[in-house]
Amino acid sequence: MHRWRREGNFPRARQAGPGSVRWRLSDLLAHEGQLKACFTMHGPLPMDAEDE
């Protein structure tokens, strides 16, 4: 997250007090919706093992 913030690839934080920042949930959800999903599988899933 810190690298994404530095590179400008994360929603802007809001100042919550001296030395404290927070993010709006709506900003985080919108950001998450724009990310590409990538899943990697190694071997069968547990439910596939039952089919054998």
Coordinates of all heavy atoms in Angstrom, one line a residue:
M1 N 0.8 -1.2 0.0 CA 0.0 0.0 0.0 C 0.9 1.3 0.0 O 0.6 2.2 -0.7 CB -0.9 0.0 1.2 CG -1.7 1.3 1.3 SD -2.6 1.5 2.8 CE -1.3 1.6 4.0
H2 N 1.9 1.3 0.8 CA 2.7 2.5 0.9 C 3.4 2.8 -0.5 O 3.5 3.9 -0.9 CB 3.8 2.3 2.0 CG 3.2 2.2 3.3 ND1 2.5 3.3 3.9 CD2 3.1 1.2 4.2 CE1 2.1 2.9 5.1 NE2 2.4 1.6 5.3
R3 N 3.8 1.7 -1.2 CA 4.4 2.0 -2.5 C 3.3 2.5 -3.5 O 3.6 3.5 -4.2 CB 5.0 0.7 -3.1 CG 5.8 0.9 -4.4 CD 6.3 -0.4 -5.0 NE 5.2 -1.0 -5.6 CZ 4.9 -2.3 -5.6 NH1 5.7 -3.1 -4.9 NH2 3.9 -2.9 -6.2
W4 N 2.1 2.0 -3.4 CA 1.1 2.5 -4.3 C 0.8 3.9 -4.0 O 0.5 4.7 -4.9 CB -0.2 1.6 -4.1 CG -0.2 0.3 -4.6 CD1 0.9 -0.3 -5.4 CD2 -1.2 -0.7 -4.5 NE1 0.5 -1.6 -5.7 CE2 -0.7 -1.9 -5.2 CE3 -2.4 -0.8 -3.9 CZ2 -1.4 -3.1 -5.3 CZ3 -3.1 -2.0 -4.0 CH2 -2.6 -3.1 -4.7
R5 N 0.8 4.3 -2.7 CA 0.5 5.7 -2.3 C 1.6 6.6 -2.9 O 1.3 7.6 -3.4 CB 0.5 5.9 -0.8 CG -0.8 5.5 -0.2 CD -0.8 5.7 1.3 NE -0.7 7.2 1.6 CZ -0.3 7.7 2.8 NH1 -0.1 6.9 3.8 NH2 -0.2 9.0 2.9
R6 N 2.9 6.2 -2.7 CA 4.0 7.0 -3.2 C 3.9 7.2 -4.7 O 4.2 8.2 -5.3 CB 5.3 6.2 -2.9 CG 6.3 7.0 -2.1 CD 7.6 6.3 -1.9 NE 7.8 5.0 -2.3 CZ 7.7 3.9 -1.5 NH1 7.4 4.0 -0.3 NH2 7.9 2.7 -2.0
E7 N 3.5 6.1 -5.5 CA 3.4 6.2 -6.9 C 2.1 6.8 -7.4 O 1.9 6.9 -8.6 CB 3.5 4.7 -7.5 CG 4.9 4.1 -7.2 CD 5.0 2.7 -7.6 OE1 3.9 2.1 -7.9 OE2 6.1 2.1 -7.6
G8 N 1.2 7.1 -6.5 CA -0.1 7.7 -6.9 C -1.1 6.7 -7.4 O -2.1 7.1 -8.0
N9 N -1.0 5.4 -7.0 CA -1.9 4.4 -7.4 C -2.8 3.9 -6.3 O -3.2 2.8 -6.3 CB -1.1 3.2 -8.0 CG -0.2 3.6 -9.2 OD1 -0.6 4.4 -10.0 ND2 0.9 3.0 -9.3
F10 N -3.1 4.8 -5.4 CA -4.0 4.4 -4.3 C -4.8 5.6 -4.0 O -4.4 6.8 -4.2 CB -3.1 4.0 -3.1 CG -3.8 3.2 -2.1 CD1 -4.1 1.9 -2.3 CD2 -4.2 3.7 -0.8 CE1 -4.8 1.1 -1.4 CE2 -4.9 2.9 0.1 CZ -5.1 1.6 -0.2
P11 N -6.1 5.4 -3.5 CA -6.9 6.6 -3.1 C -6.2 7.6 -2.2 O -5.4 7.1 -1.3 CB -8.1 6.0 -2.5 CG -8.2 4.6 -3.0 CD -6.7 4.2 -3.2
R12 N -6.6 8.8 -2.3 CA -6.0 9.8 -1.4 C -6.5 9.6 0.0 O -7.7 9.4 0.3 CB -6.5 11.2 -1.9 CG -5.8 12.4 -1.3 CD -6.2 13.7 -1.9 NE -6.4 14.7 -0.9 CZ -7.6 15.1 -0.5 NH1 -8.7 14.6 -1.0 NH2 -7.6 15.9 0.5
A13 N -5.6 9.7 1.0 CA -5.9 9.6 2.4 C -6.5 10.9 2.9 O -6.2 12.0 2.3 CB -4.7 9.2 3.2
R14 N -7.3 10.9 3.9 CA -7.9 12.0 4.5 C -7.2 12.2 5.9 O -7.0 11.3 6.6 CB -9.4 11.9 4.7 CG -10.1 11.4 3.5 CD -10.1 12.4 2.4 NE -10.8 11.9 1.2 CZ -11.1 12.6 0.2 NH1 -10.8 13.8 0.2 NH2 -11.6 12.0 -0.8
Q15 N -6.9 13.5 6.2 CA -6.3 13.8 7.5 C -7.3 13.6 8.6 O -8.3 14.3 8.6 CB -5.7 15.2 7.5 CG -4.8 15.6 8.6 CD -3.5 14.9 8.5 OE1 -3.0 14.7 7.4 NE2 -2.9 14.5 9.6
A16 N -7.1 12.7 9.6 CA -8.0 12.5 10.6 C -7.6 13.2 11.9 O -8.4 13.3 12.8 CB -8.1 11.0 10.9
G17 N -6.4 13.7 12.0 CA -5.9 14.4 13.1 C -4.4 14.5 13.0 O -3.8 14.1 11.9
P18 N -3.7 15.1 13.9 CA -2.2 15.2 13.8 C -1.5 13.9 13.7 O -1.7 13.0 14.6 CB -1.8 15.9 15.1 CG -3.1 16.3 15.8 CD -4.2 15.6 15.2
G19 N -0.9 13.7 12.6 CA -0.2 12.4 12.4 C -1.0 11.2 12.1 O -0.6 10.1 12.3
S20 N -2.3 11.4 11.8 CA -3.2 10.3 11.6 C -4.0 10.5 10.3 O -4.6 11.6 10.1 CB -4.2 10.2 12.7 OG -5.1 9.1 12.6
V21 N -4.0 9.5 9.4 CA -4.8 9.5 8.2 C -5.7 8.4 8.1 O -5.5 7.3 8.7 CB -3.9 9.6 6.9 CG1 -3.0 10.8 6.9 CG2 -3.0 8.3 6.8
R22 N -6.8 8.6 7.4 CA -7.8 7.5 7.1 C -8.2 7.5 5.7 O -8.1 8.5 5.0 CB -9.1 7.7 8.0 CG -8.8 7.7 9.5 CD -8.5 6.3 10.0 NE -8.4 6.2 11.4 CZ -7.2 6.3 12.1 NH1 -6.1 6.4 11.4 NH2 -7.1 6.2 13.4
W23 N -8.9 6.4 5.2 CA -9.4 6.4 3.9 C -10.9 6.2 3.9 O -11.4 5.5 4.8 CB -8.7 5.2 3.1 CG -7.3 5.4 2.7 CD1 -6.9 5.9 1.5 CD2 -6.2 5.2 3.5 NE1 -5.5 6.0 1.6 CE2 -5.0 5.6 2.8 CE3 -6.0 4.8 4.8 CZ2 -3.8 5.5 3.3 CZ3 -4.7 4.7 5.3 CH2 -3.6 5.0 4.6
R24 N -11.6 6.7 3.0 CA -13.0 6.5 2.9 C -13.3 5.1 2.3 O -12.6 4.7 1.3 CB -13.7 7.5 2.0 CG -13.7 8.9 2.6 CD -14.4 9.8 1.6 NE -14.5 11.2 2.2 CZ -14.7 12.3 1.5 NH1 -15.0 12.2 0.2 NH2 -14.7 13.4 2.1
L25 N -14.2 4.4 2.9 CA -14.5 3.0 2.4 C -14.9 3.1 1.0 O -14.5 2.2 0.2 CB -15.6 2.4 3.3 CG -16.0 1.0 2.9 CD1 -14.8 0.0 2.9 CD2 -17.1 0.5 3.8
S26 N -15.7 4.1 0.6 CA -16.2 4.2 -0.8 C -15.0 4.4 -1.7 O -15.0 3.8 -2.8 CB -17.2 5.3 -0.9 OG -16.6 6.5 -0.5
D27 N -14.0 5.1 -1.3 CA -12.8 5.3 -2.2 C -12.1 4.0 -2.3 O -11.6 3.6 -3.4 CB -11.9 6.3 -1.6 CG -12.5 7.8 -1.6 OD1 -13.5 8.0 -2.4 OD2 -11.9 8.6 -0.9
L28 N -11.9 3.2 -1.3 CA -11.2 1.9 -1.3 C -12.0 0.9 -2.2 O -11.3 0.2 -3.0 CB -11.0 1.4 0.1 CG -10.1 2.2 1.0 CD1 -10.1 1.6 2.4 CD2 -8.7 2.2 0.4
L29 N -13.3 0.9 -2.0 CA -14.1 -0.1 -2.8 C -14.0 0.3 -4.3 O -13.9 -0.6 -5.2 CB -15.5 -0.1 -2.3 CG -15.7 -0.7 -0.9 CD1 -17.1 -0.5 -0.5 CD2 -15.3 -2.2 -0.9
A30 N -14.1 1.6 -4.6 CA -14.0 2.0 -6.0 C -12.6 1.6 -6.6 O -12.5 1.1 -7.7 CB -14.2 3.5 -6.1
H31 N -11.6 1.8 -5.8 CA -10.2 1.5 -6.2 C -10.1 0.0 -6.5 O -9.6 -0.5 -7.5 CB -9.2 2.0 -5.2 CG -7.8 1.5 -5.5 ND1 -7.1 2.1 -6.5 CD2 -7.0 0.6 -4.9 CE1 -5.9 1.5 -6.5 NE2 -5.8 0.6 -5.6
E32 N -10.6 -0.8 -5.5 CA -10.6 -2.3 -5.6 C -11.3 -2.7 -6.9 O -10.8 -3.7 -7.5 CB -11.2 -2.9 -4.4 CG -11.1 -4.4 -4.4 CD -11.7 -5.0 -3.2 OE1 -12.8 -4.5 -2.7 OE2 -11.2 -6.0 -2.7
G33 N -12.4 -2.1 -7.2 CA -13.2 -2.5 -8.4 C -12.4 -2.3 -9.7 O -12.7 -2.9 -10.7
Q34 N -11.4 -1.4 -9.7 CA -10.6 -1.1 -10.9 C -9.4 -2.0 -11.0 O -8.7 -2.0 -12.1 CB -10.1 0.3 -10.9 CG -11.3 1.3 -10.9 CD -10.8 2.7 -10.7 OE1 -9.6 3.0 -10.5 NE2 -11.7 3.7 -10.8
L35 N -9.1 -2.8 -10.0 CA -7.9 -3.7 -10.1 C -8.2 -4.9 -10.9 O -9.3 -5.4 -10.9 CB -7.5 -4.1 -8.6 CG -7.0 -3.0 -7.7 CD1 -6.8 -3.6 -6.3 CD2 -5.8 -2.3 -8.2
K36 N -7.1 -5.4 -11.5 CA -7.2 -6.7 -12.3 C -7.1 -7.8 -11.3 O -6.2 -7.8 -10.4 CB -6.2 -6.8 -13.4 CG -6.3 -5.8 -14.5 CD -5.2 -5.9 -15.5 CE -5.3 -4.9 -16.6 NZ -4.3 -5.1 -17.6
A37 N -7.9 -8.8 -11.5 CA -7.8 -10.0 -10.6 C -6.8 -11.0 -11.2 O -6.8 -11.2 -12.4 CB -9.1 -10.6 -10.4
C38 N -6.0 -11.7 -10.4 CA -5.1 -12.7 -10.9 C -5.1 -13.8 -9.9 O -4.8 -13.6 -8.7 CB -3.7 -12.1 -11.0 SG -2.5 -13.3 -11.6
F39 N -5.4 -15.0 -10.3 CA -5.5 -16.2 -9.4 C -4.5 -17.2 -9.9 O -4.4 -17.5 -11.1 CB -6.9 -16.8 -9.4 CG -7.9 -15.8 -8.9 CD1 -8.7 -15.1 -9.7 CD2 -8.0 -15.7 -7.5 CE1 -9.6 -14.2 -9.2 CE2 -9.0 -14.8 -7.0 CZ -9.8 -14.1 -7.9
T40 N -3.7 -17.7 -9.1 CA -2.7 -18.8 -9.4 C -3.1 -20.0 -8.6 O -3.3 -20.0 -7.4 CB -1.3 -18.3 -9.1 OG1 -1.0 -17.1 -9.7 CG2 -0.3 -19.4 -9.5
M41 N -3.2 -21.1 -9.3 CA -3.5 -22.4 -8.6 C -2.3 -23.4 -8.8 O -1.7 -23.5 -9.9 CB -4.7 -23.0 -9.2 CG -6.0 -22.2 -9.0 SD -7.5 -22.9 -9.7 CE -7.2 -24.6 -9.8
H42 N -2.0 -24.1 -7.7 CA -1.0 -25.1 -7.8 C -1.6 -26.4 -7.3 O -1.9 -26.5 -6.1 CB 0.2 -24.7 -6.8 CG 0.9 -23.5 -7.3 ND1 1.8 -23.5 -8.3 CD2 0.8 -22.2 -6.8 CE1 2.3 -22.2 -8.5 NE2 1.7 -21.5 -7.6
G43 N -1.9 -27.3 -8.2 CA -2.5 -28.5 -7.8 C -4.0 -28.4 -7.8 O -4.6 -27.4 -8.0
P44 N -4.7 -29.5 -7.5 CA -6.2 -29.5 -7.5 C -6.7 -28.8 -6.2 O -6.1 -28.8 -5.2 CB -6.5 -31.0 -7.4 CG -5.3 -31.7 -6.8 CD -4.2 -30.8 -7.2
L45 N -7.9 -28.3 -6.4 CA -8.6 -27.7 -5.2 C -9.1 -28.8 -4.4 O -9.4 -29.9 -4.9 CB -9.7 -26.8 -5.7 CG -9.4 -25.5 -6.4 CD1 -10.6 -24.9 -7.0 CD2 -8.6 -24.6 -5.5
P46 N -9.3 -28.6 -3.1 CA -9.8 -29.7 -2.2 C -11.1 -30.3 -2.7 O -11.3 -31.5 -2.7 CB -10.0 -29.0 -0.9 CG -9.1 -27.9 -0.9 CD -9.0 -27.4 -2.4
M47 N -12.0 -29.5 -3.3 CA -13.3 -30.1 -3.8 C -13.0 -31.0 -5.0 O -13.8 -31.9 -5.3 CB -14.3 -29.0 -4.1 CG -13.9 -28.1 -5.3 SD -15.1 -26.8 -5.5 CE -14.1 -25.4 -5.1
D48 N -12.0 -30.7 -5.8 CA -11.7 -31.5 -7.0 C -11.1 -32.9 -6.5 O -11.3 -33.9 -7.2 CB -10.6 -30.9 -7.9 CG -11.2 -29.6 -8.5 OD1 -12.4 -29.5 -8.7 OD2 -10.4 -28.8 -9.0
A49 N -10.5 -32.9 -5.4 CA -9.9 -34.2 -4.9 C -11.0 -35.2 -4.6 O -10.8 -36.4 -4.7 CB -9.0 -33.9 -3.7
E50 N -12.2 -34.7 -4.1 CA -13.3 -35.6 -3.8 C -13.8 -36.3 -5.0 O -14.4 -37.4 -4.9 CB -14.4 -34.8 -3.1 CG -14.0 -34.3 -1.8 CD -15.1 -33.4 -1.1 OE1 -16.2 -33.4 -1.7 OE2 -14.8 -32.8 -0.1
D51 N -13.7 -35.7 -6.2 CA -14.2 -36.3 -7.4 C -13.5 -37.5 -7.9 O -13.9 -38.2 -8.8 CB -14.3 -35.2 -8.5 CG -15.3 -34.1 -8.2 OD1 -16.2 -34.4 -7.4 OD2 -15.2 -33.0 -8.7
E52 N -12.2 -37.6 -7.5 CA -11.4 -38.7 -8.0 C -11.8 -40.1 -7.4 O -12.3 -40.3 -6.4 CB -9.9 -38.5 -7.6 CG -9.4 -37.2 -8.4 CD -8.0 -36.9 -8.0 OE1 -7.4 -37.6 -7.1 OE2 -7.5 -35.9 -8.5

